Amino acid sequence: MNSNHKMWVTKVMAGSLIVIMAGLSSVSLALADDREKFVGIWKLISIVGEFQDTGEKSYDWGKNPTGYQIFTAEGRQMFIIESEGRKPPKTEADRETLFRTMFAWTGIYRVEGDKIITKVDVSWNPFFNGAEQARIFKFENDRLVISTAWTPSTRFPGRVSRGVFTWERVK
C-alpha cells in the first residue's frame, strides 16, 4: 500500500469516526431533550380506562380524579393520585376503600424512545418497590399523555385494557 493510499484510508476512517461520534452525540442530545420535556410539575386532568376489543371507555377513578406528579432534572419522579369523591374514614371498611382509591410512588426515571421507565423505590403498595414500571408517553402541547401497556383486565376477565392518564403542565 503506497503512502497516498494509506493517507486516504486514514482520512476516510477519521471522517467515518467523526460521523459516528456526531450521530451518537445527536442521539444523546435527543434523549436529553425528551427527558428535559418532563421536568416540572404536572396536574392530573383525567384517567380513562380503554378496552382493546371495543374501544369502550371507563372512568373507574371518576370523571374528576386529582393528582400531581413531579419530574426533577436529576431524574426523580414522584406522584400521587386520588379518585374522585374520597372522604375521611369512619370505619375499617372506609380505610380499605381509601387504600384502593389512591396510588403513589417515587423512583428514578429514564426515557427510552416513546417509553418512560421508573425504577420504583417507595410506593403506597410495597408490591411495586424495586420494580420497573414502563409507560408509553406523548406530548400534546402543554399536556403529557401517559398510557399503560395493553394487559388482561383484572376487573373484567377475558378483556384486555389499558389506562390513559392525561396531565397538564403547571405554570
Side-chain angles (χ1 to χ4, degrees), residues 143-161:
R143 292 202 168 176
L144 169 60
V145 179
I146 297 178
S147 303
T148 63
W150 291 106
T151 57
S153 173
T154 55
R155 294 188 57 229
F156 302 96
R159 299 195 73 189
V160 175
S161 64

Side-chain angles (χ1 to χ4, degrees), residues 2 5 8 19 32 37 51-52 55 59 74 79 83 91 97 100 105 124 128 130 134 144 151 157:
N2 66 34
H5 189 258
W8 178 81
V19 168
K37 289 178 188 176
F51 291 97
Q52 191 176 43
Y59 298 89
E74 296 78 21
F79 77 87
S83 69
T91 67
T97 298
R100 287 190 311 274
W105 70 48
W124 96 112
F128 293 98
L144 169 60
T151 57

Side-chain angles (χ1 to χ4, degrees), residues 89 91-101:
T91 67
E92 190 61 33
D94 291 346
R95 281 188 260 300
E96 290 174 19
T97 298
L98 287 177
F99 180 77
R100 287 190 311 274
T101 59

Side-chain angles (χ1 to χ4, degrees), residues 29-42:
L29 287 173
L31 290 175
D33 287 346
D34 277 348
R35 186 161 144 173
E36 189 63 31
K37 289 178 188 176
F38 284 92
V39 173
I41 301 169
W42 299 84

Side-chain angles (χ1 to χ4, degrees), residues 59-112:
Y59 298 89
D60 296 344
W61 293 83
K63 295 272 185 165
N64 297 297
T66 57
Y68 283 90
Q69 88 176 296
I70 299 169
F71 292 96
T72 69
E74 296 78 21
R76 177 156 299 274
Q77 175 198 27
M78 304 173 88
F79 77 87
I80 184 166
I81 294 174
E82 295 182 332
S83 69
E84 181 178 34
R86 294 177 87 225
K87 295 182 178 23
K90 294 181 181 168
T91 67
E92 190 61 33
D94 291 346
R95 281 188 260 300
E96 290 174 19
T97 298
L98 287 177
F99 180 77
R100 287 190 311 274
T101 59
M102 64 88 58
F103 59 101
W105 70 48
T106 184
I108 302 302
Y109 74 94
R110 67 184 187 275
V111 177
E112 294 180 3

